Amino acid sequence: MTDQTGATTSDYNFAYLDEQTKRMIRRALLKAVAIPGYQVPFASREMPMPYGWGTGGVQVSAACLTPDDTFKVIDQGADDTTNAVSIRKFFEKTADVETTEHTQDATIIQTRHRIPEAPLTEDQILVYQVPIPEPLRFLEPRETETRKMHALEEYGLMHVKLYEDIARHGHIATSYAYPVKVEGRYVMDPSPIPKFDNPKLEMAAIQLFGAGREQRIYAIPPYTQVVSLDFEDHPFDPSKADAPCDLCGADHTYLDEVIIDDAGGRMFVCSDTDYCAGRQAQGHRGRLSPEAAE
Amino acid sequence: MLDDALNGGFENPPVQSSHAFRAALSALARPGRVERIMGAEAPGLSEAAATLLLTLCDAETPIYLAPGHDSEALGQWIAFHIGAPLVGPSHAMFALGAWDALMPLTGYPVGTPEYPDRATTLIVEVEALTPPTARLTGPGVETVARMRLPETDPFRANRALFPLGHDFFFTAGEQIAGLPRTTIVEDL
């Protein structure tokens, strides 16, 4: 909305947060970029949505958005789920930014638990919503201890956990939030993305991670070395469902399994809805495409 | 240049500071890249340095002004627009000045092993950001980047402290470049 002089009139400050809060978040973001993988504490604010709905990512996005940006939000790869729709509407209302569902048109992409299939460029920023930022938290509940472990680069416990996976299951059974080591120093939780996405963490875009409830911000600058932890005899394996997408036929994307009847019938579809729709528009078809089913 | 402490702030703080932050973020995330940053004017400072101060600093960020930049006029400008306490190097979250005046680097906090983020960010006013004198590799650099630096030895020593260390912004006119502690600096 604009008034007679052409100035924007909104009941909210641009991008919702007050300026002092944004400065505090911006300082944390710059330190996070300077120390890749290290969790910078920040004074997370109450947001008009519950913890667990992306308050950390929303605050990071709010501190980064300019009026010239085009904003995209995905939830498990999908643009059209509740969480993604409400965050997109939140910034349409409070920051008056353009929004899009197309990965390549977006300048800032906020994501919950996925990295888009299409490669991101240098002109883009990927903002992750993070529930538990501390990769060692389920191994050591005390913050004082995990902080010391990061300071001393004492990550033996994490390897023990992966080893116990192998002892129990015969392979590393961790399939999401798979721990990585950033630039040879900090072990980091890539947020609960599937391990299929881990190789994509080395990318051209800036990656920012926000954990609202846990009050932590961390980052991976472009072209930063990100190594998934593994063992020589059990190398990291970015696995996915062994099937092509039933709508677009892609055999190189991360798939969701969908139950389609009461008899155990199921289908696999791309979790990245924009990528799948783009392939279908190009004429790719899968097993259950409307034409194929006829 | 400006002699009135009440002027020189942003006309539209939320929008101008958002553009300024994105320039600073891009500069620090991609060492060697020169970004444009503008919108503020302060006595004796480049537009880039004034804008960066206004974007990042407030009453919670103690600032050290190195000799040559510790004028009364700038002190009043900071008091009015930012409200940051002016302190010595050992307590500074941000330090501002010319390269020689900011030395020695050992006077500034480098963070602690538990909290490496509690380190000083130095804003170095330089005459120009080109031509390049150093070769950069590390996070944010795809292969090799180049950058004009006053010297290279202090940055090598800084890199050796990682994950502790200082982070730098270099400002000249409307231009800004960043050098985080992770960057490996070599003579060109």
Side-chain angles (χ1 to χ4, degrees):
Chain A
M1 274 188 291
T2 54
D3 65 15
Q4 288 135 338
T5 62
T8 304
T9 56
S10 167
D11 293 335
Y12 298 101
N13 187 33
F14 172 71
Y16 186 78
L17 292 173
D18 61 282
E19 289 306 298
Q20 181 158 3
T21 298
K22 282 194 232 166
R23 280 193 294 269
M24 174 270 295
I25 295 172
R26 286 166 179 166
R27 291 194 295 265
L29 285 170
L30 291 178
K31 284 299 172 201
V33 163
I35 317 168
Y38 166 73
Q39 302 163 49
V40 184
F42 82 111
S44 175
R45 301 294 195 243
E46 292 275 341
M47 297 302 284
M49 60 192 72
Y51 288 129
W53 283 68
T55 55
V58 166
Q59 290 178 79
V60 171
S61 294
C64 287
L65 277 172
T66 73
D68 303 342
D69 276 314
T70 306
F71 191 57
K72 170 183 162 91
V73 190
I74 52 173
D75 173 1
Q76 301 270 18
D79 291 274
D80 51 5
T81 52
T82 316
N83 197 199
V85 171
S86 42
I87 291 173
R88 201 159 56 227
K89 283 197 172 148
F90 175 74
F91 281 115
E92 282 172 2
K93 188 170 182 181
T94 61
D96 205 20
V97 288
E98 295 283 318
T99 55
T100 183
E101 295 195 0
H102 299 301
T103 303
Q104 59 272 27
D105 296 341
T107 52
I108 296 187
I109 302 171
Q110 181 171 331
T111 175
R112 174 176 173 272
H113 307 357
R114 262 326 296 284
I115 296 175
E117 301 288 353
L120 301 186
T121 66
E122 292 209 345
D123 302 320
Q124 296 178 306
I125 295 177
L126 187 59
V127 177
Y128 294 77
Q129 304 171 194
V130 182
I132 309 282
E134 177 52 73
L136 305 167
R137 181 60 69 233
F138 291 109
L139 308 172
E140 169 53 64
R142 289 168 297 180
E143 169 69 12
T144 47
E145 293 302 305
T146 52
R147 197 155 275 281
K148 206 172 283 170
M149 289 158 80
H150 282 295
L152 299 172
E153 215 176 337
E154 174 51 69
Y155 295 127
L157 207 52
M158 185 57 91
H159 279 100
V160 170
K161 188 227 173 207
L162 296 176
Y163 170 74
E164 284 181 350
D165 260 12
I166 296 169
R168 196 169 300 163
H169 305 287
H171 63 280
I172 299 178
T174 306
S175 57
Y176 64 95
Y178 192 103
V180 295
K181 196 166 204 180
V182 182
E183 203 56 29
R185 179 57 179 84
Y186 284 101
V187 165
M188 188 195 93
D189 180 352
S191 86
I193 59 172
K195 67 178 175 178
F196 174 79
D197 280 343
N198 273 24
K200 290 188 249 169
L201 289 163
E202 289 183 357
M203 63 162 78
I206 301 174
Q207 298 172 78
L208 306 173
F209 298 75
R213 178 183 46 214
E214 305 288 324
Q215 311 199 320
R216 295 290 184 274
I217 281 173
Y218 51 106
I220 304 178
Y223 312 116
T224 299
Q225 184 199 58
V226 182
V227 178
S228 302
L229 299 182
D230 61 0
F231 299 97
E232 274 175 23
D233 52 343
H234 285 273
F236 173 71
D237 171 29
S239 63
K240 65 182 265 290
D242 187 19
C245 171
D246 284 331
L247 293 181
C248 76
D251 57 2
H252 56 279
T253 58
Y254 189 73
L255 302 172
D256 287 335
E257 184 178 358
V258 183
I259 305 293
I260 50 176
D261 56 29
D262 290 341
R266 58 191 184 155
M267 67 186 290
F268 289 99
V269 290
C270 291
S271 123
D272 187 335
T273 52
D274 173 53
Y275 188 79
C276 193
R279 276 179 57 87
Q280 291 178 61
Q282 288 166 11
H284 295 281
R285 292 292 177 267
R287 184 175 62 96
L288 296 177
S289 298
E291 296 90 331
E294 277 167 13
Chain B
M1 271 303 210
L2 187 86
D3 48 10
D4 181 355
L6 304 188
N7 290 326
F10 290 139
E11 280 166 31
N12 186 351
V15 170
Q16 286 178 294
S17 64
S18 72
H19 286 293
F21 170 68
R22 285 288 283 282
L25 178 68
S26 178
L28 198 66
R30 297 189 176 89
R33 181 181 289 203
V34 175
E35 298 280 346
R36 293 185 75 207
I37 179 171
M38 57 213 151
E41 273 184 88
L45 292 190
S46 67
E47 188 167 350
T51 307
L52 192 62
L53 282 185
L54 216 48
T55 303
L56 296 179
C57 298
D58 51 35
E60 298 171 354
T61 59
I63 298 176
Y64 169 63
L65 297 177
H69 285 84
D70 53 353
S71 68
E72 197 185 333
L74 182 57
Q76 287 176 349
W77 187 88
I78 288 175
F80 179 75
H81 290 279
I82 295 173
L86 298 181
V87 296
S90 61
H91 290 86
M93 223 159 134
F94 288 87
L96 172 72
W99 178 251
D100 292 333
L102 284 166
M103 294 298 109
L105 284 180
T106 47
Y108 303 98
V110 291
T112 65
E114 275 86 7
Y115 294 94
D117 55 308
R118 295 179 182 173
T120 307
T121 303
L122 288 91
I123 303 169
V124 186
E125 287 269 62
V126 292
E127 280 177 18
L129 295 174
T130 51
T133 60
R135 183 177 180 275
L136 314 178
T137 50
V141 181
E142 187 174 12
T143 48
V144 176
R146 289 160 206 280
M147 185 174 185
R148 176 170 171 151
L149 292 174
E151 318 175 52
T152 50
D153 285 342
F155 300 104
R156 269 197 286 273
N158 188 50
R159 176 66 179 80
L161 294 173
F162 183 79
L164 310 187
H166 306 296
D167 308 306
F168 301 86
F169 285 106
F170 297 88
T171 52
E174 291 180 353
Q175 295 186 316
I176 186 169
L179 193 77
R181 61 191 75 177
T182 47
T183 305
I184 298 159
V185 177
E186 292 162 293
D187 288 308
L188 200 59

